[in-house]
C-alpha cells in the first residue's frame, strides 16, 4: 500500500508534465527533421551497443 501511495503521485505528476510538453510542442514551430535525426542516432547507438556489447 505504501508503494501505491508513493508511485501514484509520481505517475500523476509525470502525466501532467507530459501533457504540458505535448501542448507546448504543438504550439511551437519545431524543426522535426533535426529532432528525428537526433532520436535516430540515439536509437542507433543503443542498438549497436546491444548488438556488439561495446560502448
Amino acid at each position: 500500500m505504501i508503494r501505491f501511495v508513493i508511485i501514484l503521485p509520481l505517475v500523476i505528476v509525470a502525466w501532467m508534465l507530459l501533457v504540458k510538453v505535448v501542448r507546448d510542442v504543438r504550439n511551437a514551430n519545431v524543426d522535426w527533421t533535426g529532432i528525428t535525426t537526433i532520436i535516430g542516432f540515439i536509437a542507433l547507438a543503443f542498438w549497436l551497443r546491444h548488438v556488439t556489447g561495446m560502448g
Side-chain angles (χ1 to χ4, degrees), residues 17-46:
L17 287 173
L18 182 67
V19 169
K20 181 177 176 11
V21 167
V22 168
R23 284 183 184 160
D24 289 344
V25 167
R26 281 187 181 175
N27 294 333
N29 188 9
V30 179
D31 177 23
W32 290 108
T33 305
I35 292 173
T36 53
T37 303
I38 292 169
I39 292 172
F41 274 115
I42 292 170
L44 181 64
F46 278 107

